[in-house]
Amino acid sequence: MLMSELNTEKQTKLIDPFGRTVDYLRVSVTDRCDFRCVYCMAEEMTFLPKADLLTLEELDVLCRRFMAAGVRKIRLTGGEPLVRRNIIQLIESLGSEVKAGNLDELTITSNGSQLSKMAGDLVAAGVRRINVSMDTLDREKFRRVTRWGDLDKVLSGLDAATDAGLDVKINAVALRGENDEELGDMLAWCGERGFDMTIIEVMPMGDIGTENRLDQYLPLSRVRANLAQRFTLTDIPFRTGGPARYVKVEETGQKLGFITPLTHNFCESCNRVRVTCTGQLYMCLGQDDNADLRAALREGGPDALDASIYEAIGRKPKGHDFIIDRRQSGPAVGRHMSVTGG
Ligand code: SAM
Ligand code: SF4
């Protein structure tokens, strides 16, 4: 479809039944990844057939329909978004809307493996900030947690990102017995580099093979208490509309976020929805209800896509009900985070 065929006229905003305005879209551009993090994927993953994936053009149309409906911020995620072939084309297209003032921000969540080669192109395309997931600074642990990842490659990627002028935030999943002792050192390391950091609780999403989530789960209340012995953490009102609560680390001046979907409810301020790489729109990360935007777009075109988006926002649920406990150690939500996007 040609871009000129698209109706770019502004539509009414996306407001859900609870009065929340949806202005933030997270898009998973691929379910594939060059890592196999133990909490995210099984080592032997079956990925979706390529024909099921939205093409880059379809992803572009979809993002633009959301923008016409008031979305101001888009995050590309995955799987590993930067391993999708020619992804820079989509980034350049959406980045041009940032430059034109039609989008406040285009951000990416990445494992950092491709940053050495891509950081400069991302900045040129209009990306200003990037979240890089890194759970440890120890080479062996990094290999154990990611199974296939190479810490040195990610570290040089971070150098390239800094050199290119990207604002970096480090995402670390708190893993019991793996990085609990190390998070303080990571926070100090982030401080030295001027990186903000967010620590994430393990979420029960997708079958991860032989790993057991009960073994991985580490409540962030404990993490915070440990960090508070070494750092002065001051609560700050900074909010992104998402599940993170932030503190300022007085010793470094950087922000530290805690994402605690299991111990806290963050739903009342939720401003976001997620689209999978196959075009399923999930109105809530923790619920299964979804809308098939790919079918709407392929069968009915952009107008049908619009109708499907508005109809789906009309049933955005009030909140999620994640739970990890002894009776239910399987996934509360069957799909993997790499499908919905983190
Ligand atoms: N591959 C990219 C990356 O790792 O940043 C983007 C996709 S990844 C699914 C997005 C985020 O979700 C990462 O920060 C990752 O650590 C987190 N994540 C994946 N599975 C998770 C789980 N079960 N619980 C909590 N966080 C998870
Ligand atoms: Fe890949 Fe990110 Fe999942 Fe790790 S967390 S396996 S890097 S998608």
Side-chain angles (χ1 to χ4, degrees):
M1 180 192 319
L2 292 172
M3 232 24 105
S4 54
E5 288 173 26
L6 260 185
N7 172 11
T8 51
E9 232 171 78
K10 290 268 180 244
Q11 314 268 330
T12 50
K13 283 189 177 177
L14 297 169
I15 299 179
D16 80 0
F18 304 95
R20 297 169 297 190
T21 301
V22 173
D23 56 9
Y24 180 13
L25 176 67
R26 296 170 77 108
V27 185
S28 174
V29 297
T30 177
D31 63 330
R32 285 158 207 262
C33 188
D34 52 342
F35 290 5
R36 291 286 182 281
C37 301
V38 292
Y39 46 78
C40 180
M41 295 188 183
E43 186 154 22
E44 302 297 329
M45 284 289 284
T46 310
F47 291 110
L48 297 161
K50 289 217 168 111
D52 286 0
L53 262 55
L54 294 179
T55 64
L56 291 176
E57 291 74 20
E58 286 171 329
L59 283 165
D60 195 45
V61 170
L62 191 139
C63 289
R64 285 165 185 279
R65 295 319 303 152
F66 273 96
M67 283 165 53
V71 160
R72 300 293 308 177
K73 181 172 167 185
I74 295 178
R75 177 176 294 280
L76 303 182
T77 177
E80 175 46 38
L82 299 183
V83 300
R84 170 131 190 200
R85 195 188 315 181
N86 297 329
I87 190 64
I88 197 70
Q89 291 172 6
L90 177 67
I91 296 172
E92 283 169 352
S93 170
L94 297 175
S96 70
E97 298 299 330
V98 176
K99 292 176 187 170
N102 299 325
L103 195 59
D104 292 339
E105 201 172 37
L106 173 66
T107 55
I108 295 172
T109 302
S110 167
N111 64 22
S113 67
Q114 309 300 309
L115 275 181
S116 296
K117 25 178 220 248
M118 291 184 76
D121 291 343
L122 296 180
V123 170
V127 178
R128 300 282 165 261
R129 290 198 308 132
I130 186 159
N131 287 1
V132 177
S133 303
M134 200 173 68
D135 306 320
T136 173
L137 283 164
D138 176 295
R139 268 180 201 83
E140 269 175 39
K141 273 192 200 171
F142 190 84
R143 175 53 63 117
R144 192 157 65 227
V145 170
T146 62
R147 293 198 187 102
W148 295 3
D150 175 354
L151 179 66
D152 289 318
K153 213 167 151 191
V154 174
L155 291 176
S156 16
L158 287 171
D159 287 343
T162 308
D163 291 347
L166 278 173
D167 205 355
V168 174
K169 186 171 81 171
I170 299 293
N171 281 347
V173 176
L175 298 165
R176 188 164 78 180
E178 199 64 80
N179 64 2
D180 26 7
E181 299 298 321
E182 200 198 330
L183 290 168
D185 289 345
M186 285 185 74
L187 186 59
W189 181 88
C190 285
E192 284 161 21
R193 277 158 190 76
F195 300 162
D196 289 337
M197 180 175 176
T198 298
I199 303 178
I200 310 172
E201 242 168 30
V202 174
M203 289 182 245
M205 298 192 66
D207 184 8
I208 50 169
T210 52
E211 305 286 333
N212 184 340
R213 289 189 204 279
L214 272 175
D215 295 341
Q216 297 175 346
Y217 180 60
L218 173 64
L220 293 198
S221 48
R222 206 178 317 152
V223 171
R224 182 173 174 159
N226 283 346
L227 292 176
Q229 293 185 351
R230 175 164 165 195
F231 299 94
T232 315
L233 307 178
T234 312
D235 284 313
I236 50 172
F238 180 77
R239 296 273 186 277
T240 60
R245 290 293 172 264
Y246 290 88
V247 296
K248 183 177 172 200
V249 184
E250 299 295 345
E251 286 79 359
T252 67
Q254 296 300 134
K255 285 199 281 291
L256 169 65
F258 295 98
I259 301 191
T260 56
L262 299 172
T263 51
H264 259 267
N265 226 335
F266 53 83
C267 307
E268 68 284 348
S269 59
C270 183
N271 62 349
R272 59 199 58 194
V273 290
R274 295 171 161 81
V275 176
T276 68
C277 51
T278 56
Q280 300 330 109
L281 171 65
Y282 282 92
M283 289 70 84
C284 173
L285 180 64
Q287 302 276 4
D288 282 327
D289 186 26
N290 65 82
D292 187 355
L293 300 187
R294 184 186 62 190
L297 179 61
R298 288 188 182 168
E299 289 157 26
D303 288 341
L305 176 61
D306 282 350
S308 186
I309 292 172
Y310 281 96
E311 194 268 328
I313 299 298
R315 50 191 167 85
K316 182 168 160 64
K318 193 162 180 212
H320 67 72
D321 30 51
F322 280 132
I323 164 169
I324 291 186
D325 67 18
R326 305 241 159 236
R327 279 150 299 162
Q328 193 203 357
S329 61
V333 169
R335 63 188 185 278
H336 288 93
M337 188 77 113
S338 50
V339 172
T340 331

